[in-house]
Amino acid sequence: MTNILCIGAGYVGGPTMAVIASHCPQHRVVVVDINEARINAWQSDQLPIYEPGLGEVVRSALGRNLFFSTDVNRNIAEADIIFVSVNTPTKSFGQGAGRAADLQYWEKTARQIVENSTSSKVVVEKSTLPVRTAEAMEQILNYNSAGLHFDIVSNPEFLAEGTAIQDMQHPDRVLIGGKDSPTGQQAVQSIVDIYAHWVPRERIITTNLWSSELSKLAANAFLAQRVSSINAISALCEKTGADVNEVSHAIGLDNRIGRHFLKASVGFGGSCFRKDILNLVYLCEYYGLSEVANYWEQVIKMNEHQQMRFVSNMVSSMFNTVAGKRIALFGAAFKANTSDTRESPALAVCRSLLEERANIVLTDPHALDNARTDLGGAAKLVCFEPDPYAAAKDAHAIAILTDWAQYVDLDYEAIYESMVKPAFIFDGRNILDHKKLHSIGFNVYAIGKPPLTHNHVS
Ligand code: UDX
Ligand code: UDX
């Protein structure tokens, strides 16, 4: 039996360890966190995060070989392998503020591991870290008087929220990076052995530490770049009469381009894309590669532009003012099938419309609690309404900001009847039937398509 510990019971740590425990009944898996409420929630019927399929996986192993605890120190002492999945937000202070990763939790965790260990261990980086962090962490870990040796392994997370369980069960690849030394290679092998319980061996790839760390940043930068690229094209489509869905389809059929991640939208969100690209940009600047830094930074600027362009389109189409108008925002989560609102374009749109003094009603099936917290002081200006029909009642406009499937099948005729006329709908995710909405009477604005409007002047 191997004692596996994960420090950090968040969106990554919780689902990852649940899947490992379910596939490796012979190992004991413990997840610890400093947040007691989170640890209690993992052991209840109300899991702390919404993720399809997560409940069944947790239940299959909870109490058998999967345990949650707040006792970090004791569990460090008992562990053979420690995954570290604490958060690494963008630094908000000092050198590198707004760009570099804040490593204080990681460093604190590394020191805690040393202080509570009585045997040598493998430490796995699961949090996304700046390239070459492993080296610094190794120094902290191995500078100890007890003669203990720690091997550090990088095992970046590629799961996407909303499909986390599916992604973990059937990953495209698992990446494990380690040192070339004999103990470094043994450490890599110990992690390979865990995944090999359910992942075909050819999908488990091993690299050196820095390739592994950089691959995580590069993968997210490439994915985000595709979204920014298609969003850049969407702006041109709106001006020329081209339809971005047709363009995506046409270019995606080229095998060299591929069809995934070409959905034009109000912008990308989530905890990783922006943070990881900023990390990459900071790294490039640190090494004096300013052109390379500018190149990647543009992916973020394009994303900010897309969100602001969406708001400007709303204001200009609604006769250049939204002040005092009730606007229903459909969706707060950064994408469908998650309760996560980190970096959600929905909240950026919400804040901008509040600045325009609109009356905002925000609806979402799972993310309203997180939205309320993330909006902070602005939350008191927002009406939170779980029912989309109630949210749309008496509104001048609806904006679709999250691609929740349930928004496709609403009774838009009834919704239209309940709204102030002329009624506007802005589809920031291109998920609705625009022609049908137009025939109901809506003025319809989608991303990267000519608007479908009614001329009310006779
Ligand atoms: C985190 C990282 O943010 C990301 O870079 C990485 O790719 C995966 O791990 P996520 O799981 O989404 O992502 O973060 P979050 O949900 O915030 O979970 C982190 C958890 O660590 C929190 O529950 C927090 O309480 C816990 N934590 C943080 C500790 O237990 N100890 C600490 O010192 C700091
Ligand atoms: C991402 C990576 O996909 C994952 O591999 C990594 O481990 C963490 O970061 P996640 O942030 O959960 O995962 O979501 P993802 O599905 O990548 O979507 C990110 C954002 O891009 C969402 O806001 C989504 O709506 C948007 N998006 C995605 C588009 O706007 N268009 C697309 O075509 C695809």
Side-chain angles (χ1 to χ4, degrees):
M1 184 190 75
T2 305
N3 275 314
I4 299 171
L5 173 68
C6 177
I7 304 179
Y11 286 86
V12 169
T16 306
M17 292 303 129
V19 172
I20 290 180
S22 77
H23 284 287
C24 308
Q26 65 276 51
H27 298 324
R28 186 169 176 270
V29 180
V30 182
V31 191
V32 293
D33 201 294
I34 47 176
N35 182 337
E36 194 178 349
R38 242 185 184 183
I39 288 300
N40 291 339
W42 277 111
Q43 300 172 91
S44 75
D45 290 336
Q46 279 291 314
L47 296 184
I49 59 177
Y50 174 73
E51 187 64 55
L54 179 62
E56 291 89 89
V57 179
V58 171
R59 272 193 298 279
S60 77
L62 190 66
R64 177 190 74 183
N65 65 327
L66 175 66
F67 306 93
F68 291 89
S69 166
T70 49
D71 191 345
V72 183
N73 294 348
R74 184 175 59 84
N75 282 293
I76 288 176
E78 291 175 0
D80 304 303
I81 297 174
I82 303 179
F83 288 80
V84 183
S85 182
V86 300
N87 38 337
T88 51
T90 305
K91 254 183 112 174
S92 57
F93 55 88
Q95 221 173 336
R99 276 176 150 67
D102 184 347
L103 295 176
Q104 59 171 315
Y105 304 122
W106 232 101
E107 182 170 336
K108 196 192 84 196
T109 302
R111 292 185 191 281
Q112 208 173 0
I113 292 175
V114 180
E115 278 159 24
N116 292 284
S117 290
T118 48
S119 59
S120 298
K121 299 175 196 304
V122 175
V123 176
V124 187
E125 289 181 341
K126 202 70 187 155
S127 307
T128 309
L129 295 168
V131 181
R132 302 196 80 96
T133 303
E135 201 167 49
M137 292 304 157
E138 209 169 21
Q139 285 187 28
I140 293 174
L141 289 167
N142 283 326
Y143 190 79
N144 65 75
S145 49
L148 301 174
H149 178 74
F150 295 90
D151 278 294
I152 194 149
V153 171
S154 160
N155 172 218
E157 189 47 73
F158 295 114
L159 59 80
E161 288 171 34
T163 53
I165 298 302
Q166 172 72 13
D167 293 347
M168 269 294 287
Q169 306 275 28
H170 308 284
D172 286 350
R173 78 320 205 172
V174 169
L175 177 56
I176 301 167
K179 277 274 180 73
D180 215 7
S181 64
T183 59
Q185 285 305 301
Q186 268 171 26
V188 167
Q189 192 55 43
S190 67
I191 308 304
V192 170
D193 290 343
I194 293 174
Y195 284 100
H197 281 101
W198 76 96
V199 181
R201 187 58 188 81
E202 66 278 7
R203 292 198 175 201
I204 306 177
I205 55 173
T206 57
T207 64
N208 77 33
L209 263 180
W210 304 295
S211 301
S212 172
E213 288 181 327
L214 185 57
S215 297
K216 171 65 193 263
L217 297 185
N220 276 344
F222 271 59
L223 289 170
Q225 185 191 43
R226 282 175 74 91
V227 179
S228 274
S229 297
I230 199 66
N231 282 345
I233 296 297
S234 77
L236 195 56
C237 288
E238 286 166 33
K239 299 283 182 209
T240 57
D243 178 327
V244 77
N245 285 359
E246 294 181 349
V247 175
S248 310
H249 182 63
I251 64 174
L253 286 175
D254 183 328
N255 271 329
R256 295 166 301 175
I257 297 174
R259 63 193 167 80
H260 297 292
F261 259 71
L262 285 180
K263 266 204 305 247
S265 65
V266 58
F268 61 73
S271 68
C272 284
F273 280 5
R274 186 183 157 82
K275 170 170 76 81
D276 290 355
I277 296 173
L278 285 172
N279 226 314
L280 195 62
V281 169
Y282 184 72
L283 200 70
C284 295
E285 281 172 352
Y286 177 82
Y287 288 111
L289 302 169
S290 56
E291 286 80 4
V292 185
N294 292 343
Y295 176 76
W296 287 110
E297 192 168 24
Q298 202 55 37
V299 173
I300 296 177
K301 286 192 181 154
M302 184 61 229
N303 194 47
E304 289 166 354
H305 174 66
Q306 185 76 347
Q307 295 173 41
M308 289 313 106
R309 211 170 64 74
F310 186 81
V311 174
S312 310
N313 274 345
M314 287 183 76
V315 175
S316 62
S317 354
M318 295 173 73
F319 320 111
N320 289 313
T321 177
V322 291
K325 290 180 181 167
R326 179 176 166 102
I327 298 182
L329 304 184
F330 279 24
F334 80 97
K335 64 172 182 177
N337 299 320
T338 178
S339 50
D340 196 349
T341 52
R342 289 178 290 180
E343 302 289 343
S344 175
L347 300 190
V349 168
C350 178
R351 286 192 194 92
S352 300
L353 289 171
L354 287 173
E355 275 171 30
E356 295 287 339
R357 308 214 171 152
N359 294 336
I360 300 296
V361 192
L362 186 56
T363 184
D364 191 286
H366 290 283
L368 288 187
D369 288 345
N370 283 333
R372 195 180 280 114
T373 309
D374 281 7
L375 283 168
K380 64 180 183 302
L381 303 170
V382 173
C383 169
F384 297 89
E385 171 56 67
D387 175 15
Y389 292 100
K393 188 170 181 309
D394 297 324
H396 290 249
I398 294 171
I400 308 285
L401 300 175
T402 308
D403 45 344
W404 287 108
Q406 48 263 64
Y407 295 154
V408 179
D409 299 322
L410 297 175
D411 180 350
Y412 282 100
E413 294 195 16
I415 287 178
Y416 178 78
E417 289 310 318
S418 75
M419 289 174 67
V420 175
K421 309 298 178 314
F424 292 80
I425 194 153
F426 300 88
D427 185 356
R429 295 288 180 172
N430 282 356
I431 53 170
L432 303 183
D433 182 340
H434 301 137
K435 282 203 183 108
K436 185 169 167 211
L437 291 171
H438 185 238
S439 71
I440 292 173
F442 282 103
N443 287 327
V444 187
Y445 293 79
I447 302 279
K449 291 162 181 267
L452 300 172
T453 55
H454 298 276
N455 186 353
H456 296 280
V457 186
S458 53

